[in-house]
């Protein structure tokens, strides 16, 4: 009986992974259409998110962390992209297109200040990337988030928008940091068994939790999405371009630094992925609803852009493999032609 349930959960997770690009946009639609029934459930969001983080952290271990920290160059590059380059891009784009609108500008800064997404593990593993680097980045970025997120907002926004930095730090600590540490400790004490035994059957609950969180947060800004105007269209367009730039920057950096395929996959996905569910929770709980619009609009594109990024990676890998095969064949032909012919 339990074996059948486990197989069913693992199979359902495979199906959910295939439809990941459509999951969050569909959740936003559900939230907008069910605003009245979902808004009273807002109090559940931090609890659901904490559970998602705990399940997603069961794969993390101190060994993976120390392996990456021993050679931290790639980790530091990713942190620079995530928390210096991208927040500045988001802030500059928002200041250019939405001058005099501090709430929308704050939304873009928050969009790129939040840590990398736990769901990036799914995409990196699907495409054969460096899992150890991804897990170490998620763990370190998550642990630093109570400091990085309020600090980034303060440095780029100053006193333009009122925020309770202490309360935000406590929210990140409860929703993200403590569940991550708990998951890592469970993995450590079980010597990796909990990840192997419990990870696969619990994985679909992360996707279901993501759908639920996005739906509830979508309901909180339904009044904006139900009455679209030119400003909303511009927010969606600017969000698409800036979120896409994260993946592009990761690809360019990987190419310039001549990373192998596994590290290229990890850098490209982690440069573009964000924990937008956490960002939406923060936006809804600690800011006026207008701040949530850029973050929620990012959910429309992040998974779709991740799928496109995966197609690009596979296409480039095939081209490189064909080029290597052609070069090898050419060298064989040249070697044969250079052999002395018998008299």
């Amino acid at each position: 009986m339990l074996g059948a349930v486990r197989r069913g959960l693992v199979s359902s997770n495979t199906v959910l992974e295939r439809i990941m690009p459509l999951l969050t946009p569909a959740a936003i639609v559900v939230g907008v259409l069910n605003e009245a029934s979902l808004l009273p459930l807002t109090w559940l969001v931090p609890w659901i998110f904490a559970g998602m983080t705990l399940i997603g952290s069961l794969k993390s271990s101190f060994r993976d962390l120390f392996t990456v920290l021993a050679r931290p160059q790639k980790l530091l590059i990713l942190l620079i992209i995530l928390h210096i380059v991208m927040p500045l891009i988001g802030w500059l784009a928002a200041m250019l297109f939405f001058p005099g609108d501090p709430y929308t500008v704050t939304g873009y800064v928050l969009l790129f200040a939040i840590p990398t997404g736990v769901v990036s593990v799914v995409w990196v593993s699907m495409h054969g990337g460096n899992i150890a680097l991804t897990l170490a980045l998620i763990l370190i970025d998550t642990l630093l988030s109570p400091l990085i997120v309020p600090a980034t907002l303060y440095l780029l926004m100053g006193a333009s928008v009122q925020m309770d930095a202490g309360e935000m730090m406590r929210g990140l600590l409860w929703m993200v940091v403590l569940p991550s540490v708990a998951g890592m400790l469970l993995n450590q004490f079980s010597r990796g068994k909990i990840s192997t035994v419990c990870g696969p059957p619990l994985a679909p609950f992360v996707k279901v939790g993501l759908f639920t969180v996005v739906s509830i947060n979508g309901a909180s800004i339904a009044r904006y999405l139900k009455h679209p105007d030119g400003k909303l269209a511009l927010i969606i367009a600017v969000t698409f371009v800036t979120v896409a730039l994260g993946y592009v920057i990761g690809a360019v950096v990987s190419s310039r630094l001549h990373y192998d395929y596994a590290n290229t996959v990890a850098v490209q996905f982690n440069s573009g992925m964000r924990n937008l569910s956490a960002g939406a929770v923060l936006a809804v709980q600690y800011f006026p609803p207008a701040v949530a619009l850029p973050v929620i609009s990012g959910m429309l594109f992040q998974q779709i852009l991740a799928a496109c990024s995966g197609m690009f990676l596979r296409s480039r890998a095939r081209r490189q493999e064909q080029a290597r095969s052609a070069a090898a064949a050419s060298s064989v032909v040249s070697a044969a032609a250079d052999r002395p012919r018998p008299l």
Side-chain angles (χ1 to χ4, degrees), residues 75 106 108 162 251 312:
L75 182 66
T106 300
Y108 278 100
Q162 291 185 349
F312 169 78

Side-chain angles (χ1 to χ4, degrees), residues 254-274:
S254 299
S255 176
R256 293 290 184 183
L257 296 178
H258 306 290
Y259 288 160
D260 60 20
Y261 177 77
N263 285 308
T264 296
V265 171
V267 170
Q268 189 165 319
F269 278 116
N270 285 298
S271 297
M273 300 294 291
R274 294 284 176 165

Side-chain angles (χ1 to χ4, degrees), residues 41-172:
L41 302 177
T42 304
W43 65 274
L44 281 173
V45 169
W47 294 89
I48 296 172
F49 195 84
M52 290 165 53
T53 306
L54 174 62
I55 295 171
S57 301
L58 292 176
K59 297 179 181 178
S60 302
S61 69
F62 291 107
R63 183 179 62 185
D64 293 333
L65 178 62
F66 293 147
T67 299
V68 174
L69 288 177
R71 302 181 68 179
Q73 181 199 37
K74 298 179 185 68
L75 182 66
L76 292 174
I77 288 172
L78 277 168
L79 289 172
I80 289 170
I81 294 172
L82 285 169
H83 295 298
I84 296 178
V85 177
M86 293 309 300
L88 283 173
I89 288 175
W91 178 73
L92 289 171
M95 292 295 288
L96 176 63
F97 290 100
F98 307 101
D101 186 351
Y103 291 137
T104 301
V105 177
T106 300
Y108 278 100
V109 175
L110 180 62
L111 172 64
F112 293 110
I114 52 181
T116 190
V118 175
V119 74
S120 62
V121 174
V122 176
W123 289 102
V124 172
S125 61
M126 282 171 59
H127 292 276
N130 187 336
I131 295 293
L133 173 61
T134 301
L135 291 173
L137 173 68
I138 291 170
L139 180 62
I140 291 173
D141 206 14
T142 297
L143 295 176
L144 293 176
S145 61
L147 299 175
I148 290 177
V149 175
T152 304
L153 287 165
Y154 181 78
L155 287 173
L156 293 179
M157 297 307 301
S160 300
V161 174
Q162 291 185 349
M163 61 178 179
D164 189 338
E167 187 63 30
M168 188 185 301
M169 291 175 70
R170 283 190 290 272
L172 283 164

Side-chain angles (χ1 to χ4, degrees), residues 7 11 27 37 44 75 92 112 118 183 198 201 214 220 224 229 237 271 278 282 297 341:
R7 288 192 295 271
S11 299
S37 57
L44 281 173
L75 182 66
L92 289 171
F112 293 110
V118 175
C198 299
V214 175
S220 67
Y224 294 96
D229 53 15
S271 297
L282 293 175
S297 64
R341 296 181 180 178

Side-chain angles (χ1 to χ4, degrees), residues 298-330:
M299 292 179 174
L300 292 170
F301 307 118
Q302 181 168 256
Q303 303 300 329
I304 296 171
L305 287 169
C308 294
S309 182
M311 292 170 61
F312 169 78
L313 284 164
R314 285 178 173 170
S315 175
R316 188 171 68 173
R318 282 196 298 269
R319 289 197 302 270
Q320 291 174 344
E321 183 62 32
Q322 290 170 356
R324 284 192 294 267
S325 299
S330 176

Side-chain angles (χ1 to χ4, degrees), residues 327-339:
S330 176
S331 64
V332 170
V333 171
S334 299
D338 292 340
R339 285 188 198 133

